[in-house]
Amino acid sequence: VSTRVHGGNRFFPNMSRFNRPPVVTLDHLLAPLVNYRDKPRVRADVMACATQFPTLIASIGVFADPAGRPQNAVQLSGTIPIFYQRVQYNIPVALWIGPNFPLSCPDVFVTPTTDMQIKANHKHVDAAGRVYLPYLSSWDPRRSSVVALVQDMCAKFSEEPPVHRKPVGSPGPMTQPVTRPSTLPNPYFSTPVANSSHPSSQYGSSSVVSPPTYTVDPKKQAVENVTSKGQARMAETFRELTEEIDLLFDAQTALANSQSNLSQGLSTLAQEKIALEDKLKQLETADVELDAWVARHADSTPDKATVESLVETKDIYSKQLVDLVSEEAAIEDVLFHLSQALDRGCMDLDTFLKYVRELSRKQFLQRVLRNKIVQAQQAQMITA
């Protein structure tokens, strides 16, 4: 696998089986892709996938967008390990990471070699090789990743391999996977299988109808099973922890916003408290002044005070004006009660009109006299 070129320039050409991919080479690979909206996320997912699955080679290839226009895109191609009937096989796949990643999920295909064919009526792979998984249909830009997608593919294809070898001299498709079993115990951290002289030997020879037979070490097989279960459990735990951390971050943001709102509310309440305390002091001062005034005038005020005794006029004009205003107000009250008596039927219309005519004439004369008094007071003030 390490010598194959998949869909463009090879990525990590000098990577040894124990070295991690160089970051500089990855940045150089992504530099021409100016139409990618989130290169750091693409870089992080490709790095993580290349580290955990060294058999997947990153490269730049030409891929058709949904409108049918060709465009350059990042491709991860190679093989992924699966366990079928307690035997490890390598399934050839290709993952295309488009410019809208991670908003859009990768396009995944099974890429059988010339001596393979896709299994008919497979649950997750159509006749053209496109992969359909629940993980892809529920893709979340924040929580989903390419590594988790490949892990899910390994788990699903281990239940039902998507390819089998083309029949040679016998009717009907083979039920066994066509890829060559690997001797490595770890399905997620396996090293690339070395090439033989034939290009398709990494997936199995076309002249062999059934997978090769060999003796399985029980201890080694037990280690493989425990490792597979442990890594599946770790992947699930990592996904749960990631979701929990996202929820905690959301809660932290909500708490920070609430803290800001509470601080503003406390500041407003403190200002209102200061204003109310000032008004309370003013009311207490006014209350003390009123008590003092009442104490000073308690003896001078008669027990049965009348309105006339409380009102003091400065001159004869003012006294006459007060009398006119009070009489006019009294006439208004009488007219109101006359109207009420007419409405209730206690008085006939002729009587009502008689009293209204007399009171209106009297009210008119009082108003004329009042205006003359006001004019006399104004002339007196001007003269003074």
Side-chain angles (χ1 to χ4, degrees):
V1 176
S2 61
T3 60
R4 288 176 60 87
V5 178
H6 298 281
N9 297 327
R10 284 185 50 225
F11 183 43
F12 312 144
N14 299 321
M15 183 182 69
S16 65
R17 60 184 301 177
F18 298 107
N19 292 335
R20 296 187 64 180
V23 179
V24 177
T25 308
L26 178 57
D27 293 336
H28 179 72
L29 181 72
L30 297 176
L33 302 177
V34 295
N35 57 338
Y36 273 63
R37 64 169 64 235
D38 193 351
K39 283 188 180 181
R41 174 65 187 276
V42 176
R43 178 184 180 279
D45 277 38
V46 171
M47 284 287 296
C49 192
T51 302
Q52 190 163 348
F53 296 94
T55 53
L56 292 177
I57 307 300
S59 61
I60 298 296
V62 178
F63 185 76
D65 60 9
R69 297 185 299 267
Q71 60 180 352
N72 292 331
V74 176
Q75 179 190 24
L76 286 171
S77 58
T79 61
I80 59 174
I82 68 168
F83 279 91
Y84 181 69
Q85 296 181 355
R86 297 194 297 181
V87 178
Q88 179 177 332
Y89 299 97
N90 297 322
I91 303 299
V93 295
L95 291 82
W96 292 88
I97 302 176
N100 291 328
F101 183 85
L103 298 180
S104 300
C105 63
D107 294 285
V108 186
F109 297 89
V110 174
T111 56
T113 58
T114 56
D115 56 350
M116 299 180 187
Q117 67 182 18
I118 298 175
K119 185 178 179 180
N121 299 324
H122 194 274
K123 292 190 298 183
H124 303 296
V125 182
D126 61 12
R130 179 179 284 274
V131 177
Y132 300 91
L133 293 174
Y135 191 85
L136 289 172
S137 59
S138 60
W139 179 268
D140 189 335
R142 295 178 57 187
R143 298 181 175 88
S144 303
S145 65
V146 178
V147 174
L149 170 60
V150 177
Q151 292 174 351
D152 190 63
M153 291 170 58
C154 293
K156 292 295 190 294
F157 291 168
S158 295
E159 299 174 359
E160 183 182 0
V163 294
H164 57 77
R165 184 174 297 112
K166 292 181 180 179
V168 178
S170 61
M174 299 298 297
T175 59
Q176 292 289 341
V178 299
T179 56
R180 179 178 178 178
S182 172
T183 58
L184 294 175
N186 193 332
Y188 296 113
F189 295 91
S190 59
T191 308
V193 181
N195 285 334
S196 64
S197 58
H198 195 277
S200 63
S201 60
Q202 57 179 326
Y203 306 116
S205 175
S206 60
S207 60
V208 181
V209 176
S210 61
T213 59
Y214 56 90
T215 303
V216 178
D217 186 359
K219 181 178 179 180
K220 186 175 181 181
Q221 188 65 41
V223 171
E224 292 178 356
N225 294 336
V226 172
T227 302
S228 176
K229 293 180 180 179
Q231 292 200 350
R233 181 67 179 273
M234 287 175 61
E236 183 65 24
T237 303
F238 176 77
R239 187 179 304 176
E240 293 176 356
L241 290 176
T242 302
E243 294 178 355
E244 184 176 356
I245 290 173
D246 290 338
L247 293 176
L248 291 176
F249 273 123
D250 295 339
Q252 182 181 9
T253 303
L255 289 175
N257 294 334
S258 300
Q259 182 180 6
S260 176
N261 295 333
L262 288 176
S263 299
Q264 295 178 359
L266 290 175
S267 177
T268 304
L269 289 176
Q271 295 175 0
E272 292 180 354
K273 180 181 178 182
I274 295 174
L276 291 175
E277 289 176 350
D278 293 339
K279 291 182 179 180
L280 181 61
K281 290 180 181 179
Q282 296 175 3
L283 290 175
E284 290 176 351
T285 303
D287 185 58
V288 172
E289 293 176 354
L290 288 175
D291 291 340
W293 187 88
V294 172
R296 288 196 305 269
H297 296 80
D299 298 335
S300 61
T301 303
D303 295 336
K304 295 182 179 179
T306 61
V307 177
E308 290 78 4
S309 63
L310 295 177
V311 176
E312 296 180 358
T313 57
K314 295 181 180 181
D315 51 22
I316 187 64
Y317 291 120
S318 298
K319 184 177 183 306
Q320 189 176 5
L321 185 61
V322 169
D323 294 338
L324 290 174
V325 171
S326 61
E327 290 179 3
E328 185 178 355
I331 291 174
E332 290 288 344
D333 292 339
V334 173
L335 291 174
F336 172 76
H337 288 289
L338 287 174
S339 176
Q340 293 291 323
L342 179 64
D343 292 340
R344 290 195 295 267
C346 300
M347 180 182 296
D348 56 11
L349 181 61
D350 295 336
T351 306
F352 172 77
L353 293 176
K354 176 182 177 181
Y355 285 113
V356 168
R357 188 181 301 110
E358 292 178 358
L359 292 173
S360 298
R361 184 184 299 109
K362 187 176 181 180
Q363 187 181 36
F364 174 76
L365 295 175
Q366 288 175 350
R367 289 181 178 178
V368 171
L369 182 58
R370 184 188 64 184
N371 293 335
K372 289 183 179 180
I373 293 173
V374 171
Q375 292 175 1
Q377 286 181 334
Q378 292 176 353
Q380 187 179 4
M381 292 176 61
I382 293 173
T383 304

